[in-house]
Amino acid sequence: MQDLRMLMPHSKADTKMDRKDKLFVINEVCEMKNCNKCIYFEAKKKQDLYMWLSNSPHGPSAKFLVQNIHTLAELKMTGNCLKGSRPLLSFDPVFDELPHYALLKELLIQIFSTPRYHPKSQPLVDHVFTFTILDNRIWFRNFQIIEEDAALVEIGPRFVLNLIKIFQGSFGGPTLYENPHYQSPNMHRRVIRSITAAKYREKQQVKDVQKLRKKEPKTILPHDPTADVFVIPAEEKPVEIQWVKPEPKVDLTSRKRRIYKRHRKLQQKNNRGSAK
């Protein structure tokens, strides 16, 4: 949210809203702030983030599930732009083909484009916001425009908007469009858990089958007489009976030690005799 506020100099922040309050209260906050466009972030279960884009107070409004969020501090890209400068808005050609995307395009233009002669804006255009449609989702990217060769270098942040519903009113009202490809995060986590549980059950079934096979009595097959056709019998060696007691093995190391001790004693006696 802070990254979006930095990118939009015409934004006005407000305090956090109580969860018990209804969303229609935001229209009153917009009226007090003298705003006719609103971005509202709604967090659920400390892991799911939803974003509302609304035209206050008459509508329409759209609800998105925000996925794959990467902030400026996290990305650390090489791109940079002047704070408060005006952005260019680049849209995918698919936005002009379908009516609900055309409505979202107009809503995004009115929200993300900086008003003309806004006091907090700079009269420069040095970055571009791109909105690309891929896999039935809107991918947001922010690029710096390099003056030398008009190349693009990403600045950040980046996120993906998964459309849920488009309402006629502001934060409610009749549903104009509902995304048939949308899957709630709870359902997605449930599917992942069911897949892992199925893998675990399959492993347990394989182990049970192996245990049952080990407990089964082994079937003894009858001897096949043709199995020993090519087996060559080994030569039978005659049994030799040894009548003479074998000589004991001589330990050469101990024998050498004894000879060395005798030789040393003789040397000591000779040295004593010569000393006298």
Side-chain angles (χ1 to χ4, degrees):
M1 187 177 68
Q2 295 297 331
D3 293 344
L4 288 179
R5 286 196 59 203
M6 288 175 61
L7 295 176
M8 295 188 292
H10 58 285
S11 62
K12 295 179 182 179
D14 196 73
T15 56
K16 293 182 180 179
M17 221 182 77
D18 193 0
R19 290 184 178 180
K20 296 179 182 179
D21 295 338
K22 293 184 178 180
L23 296 178
F24 295 104
V25 180
I26 303 175
N27 294 325
E28 299 177 3
V29 177
C30 292
E31 189 177 355
M32 288 188 293
K33 293 279 185 177
N34 196 16
C35 297
N36 54 8
K37 303 292 182 293
C38 177
I39 300 178
Y40 174 63
F41 291 96
E42 184 180 7
K44 291 184 179 180
K45 295 186 177 181
K46 297 182 180 180
Q47 55 185 345
D48 302 328
L49 180 63
Y50 297 90
M51 185 171 74
W52 286 81
L53 300 180
S54 175
N55 186 12
S56 178
H58 303 294
S61 59
K63 185 179 181 182
F64 300 91
L65 173 66
V66 187
Q67 298 172 326
N68 301 334
I69 306 170
H70 299 283
T71 60
L72 284 168
E74 180 184 352
L75 290 174
K76 295 181 180 178
M77 294 289 185
T78 56
N80 193 9
C81 65
L82 184 65
K83 186 176 181 181
S85 60
R86 301 175 61 84
L88 291 176
L89 300 182
S90 174
F91 288 91
D92 196 280
V94 185
F95 276 97
D96 298 327
E97 296 177 1
L98 298 174
H100 61 281
Y101 281 136
L103 178 62
L104 290 177
K105 177 182 178 181
E106 187 62 31
L107 193 61
L108 292 170
I109 289 173
Q110 295 181 13
I111 290 176
F112 283 94
S113 61
T114 306
R116 195 173 183 183
Y117 304 123
H118 194 275
K120 291 185 180 180
S121 65
Q122 300 288 340
L124 297 171
V125 178
D126 59 352
H127 63 288
V128 55
F129 295 160
T130 61
F131 298 92
T132 310
I133 295 176
L134 183 65
D135 196 19
N136 298 313
R137 291 170 174 82
I138 301 175
W139 299 66
F140 174 84
R141 296 288 185 273
N142 180 23
F143 295 96
Q144 176 193 1
I145 303 172
I146 300 176
E147 296 180 0
E148 287 79 8
D149 53 354
L152 299 179
V153 180
E154 188 171 357
I155 304 171
R158 55 167 67 169
F159 54 86
V160 180
L161 298 177
N162 190 1
L163 178 63
I164 303 174
K165 285 183 180 181
I166 300 176
F167 300 96
Q168 184 177 354
S170 179
F171 298 100
T175 303
L176 298 178
Y177 176 78
E178 185 175 358
N179 188 7
H181 306 286
Y182 171 72
Q183 187 182 35
S184 65
N186 293 331
M187 184 61 67
H188 181 67
R189 287 190 286 267
R190 182 181 176 185
V191 170
I192 293 174
R193 285 196 299 269
S194 63
I195 291 171
T196 53
K199 289 181 180 178
Y200 177 75
R201 284 196 299 268
E202 188 177 354
K203 289 181 181 179
Q204 289 296 115
Q205 289 175 0
V206 172
K207 288 182 181 179
D208 295 340
V209 170
Q210 290 176 352
K211 288 180 181 179
L212 290 174
R213 286 180 180 176
K214 289 180 180 178
K215 290 180 180 179
E216 290 179 357
K218 295 181 179 179
T219 55
I220 301 173
L221 298 174
H223 179 69
D224 188 6
T226 61
D228 302 331
V229 172
F230 300 100
V231 177
I232 301 173
E235 295 181 0
E236 295 182 0
K237 294 182 179 180
V239 179
E240 295 182 359
I241 300 173
Q242 192 172 4
W243 298 99
V244 182
K245 183 179 179 181
E247 294 182 0
K249 293 182 179 180
V250 180
D251 192 359
L252 296 176
T253 56
S254 60
R255 190 173 181 182
K256 287 180 180 179
R257 286 176 184 173
R258 287 196 297 270
I259 293 170
Y260 176 74
K261 285 180 181 179
R262 288 174 189 172
H263 184 66
R264 192 173 180 183
K265 286 180 180 179
L266 288 172
Q267 283 183 351
Q268 288 177 357
K269 285 180 182 181
N270 294 329
N271 292 331
R272 289 174 185 171
S274 61
K276 290 178 180 180

Coordinates of all heavy atoms in Angstrom, one line a residue, residues 239-247:
V239 N 38.1 -88.3 0.2 CA 38.3 -87.9 1.6 C 39.7 -88.4 2.0 O 40.0 -89.6 1.9 CB 37.2 -88.4 2.5 CG1 37.5 -88.0 3.9 CG2 35.8 -88.0 2.0
E240 N 40.6 -87.5 2.4 CA 41.9 -87.9 2.9 C 42.0 -87.9 4.4 O 41.5 -86.9 5.0 CB 43.0 -86.9 2.3 CG 43.1 -87.0 0.8 CD 44.2 -86.1 0.3 OE1 44.8 -85.3 1.1 OE2 44.4 -86.0 -0.9
I241 N 42.5 -88.9 5.0 CA 42.6 -89.0 6.4 C 44.1 -88.8 6.8 O 45.0 -89.5 6.2 CB 42.1 -90.4 6.9 CG1 40.6 -90.6 6.6 CG2 42.3 -90.5 8.5 CD1 40.1 -92.0 6.9
Q242 N 44.4 -87.9 7.7 CA 45.7 -87.6 8.0 C 46.1 -88.4 9.2 O 45.6 -88.3 10.3 CB 45.8 -86.0 8.3 CG 47.2 -85.5 8.4 CD 47.3 -84.0 8.5 OE1 46.2 -83.4 8.6 NE2 48.5 -83.5 8.6
W243 N 47.1 -89.3 9.0 CA 47.6 -90.2 10.1 C 48.7 -89.5 11.0 O 48.8 -89.9 12.2 CB 48.1 -91.5 9.5 CG 47.0 -92.2 8.7 CD1 46.9 -92.2 7.4 CD2 46.1 -93.0 9.3 NE1 45.8 -93.0 7.0 CE2 45.3 -93.5 8.2 CE3 45.7 -93.4 10.6 CZ2 44.2 -94.4 8.4 CZ3 44.6 -94.3 10.7 CH2 43.9 -94.7 9.7
V244 N 49.5 -88.7 10.4 CA 50.6 -88.1 11.2 C 50.2 -86.7 11.7 O 49.5 -85.9 11.1 CB 51.8 -87.9 10.2 CG1 53.0 -87.3 11.0 CG2 52.2 -89.2 9.6
K245 N 50.6 -86.5 13.0 CA 50.3 -85.2 13.6 C 51.0 -84.1 13.0 O 52.2 -84.2 12.7 CB 50.6 -85.3 15.1 CG 50.3 -84.0 15.9 CD 50.7 -84.2 17.3 CE 50.3 -82.9 18.1 NZ 50.7 -83.0 19.5
P246 N 50.3 -83.0 12.6 CA 51.0 -81.9 11.9 C 52.0 -81.2 12.8 O 51.8 -81.1 14.1 CB 49.9 -81.0 11.5 CG 48.8 -81.3 12.4 CD 48.9 -82.8 12.7
E247 N 53.1 -80.7 12.3 CA 54.1 -80.0 13.1 C 53.5 -78.6 13.5 O 52.7 -78.0 12.7 CB 55.3 -79.7 12.2 CG 56.1 -81.0 11.9 CD 57.3 -80.7 11.0 OE1 57.6 -79.5 10.8 OE2 58.0 -81.7 10.7

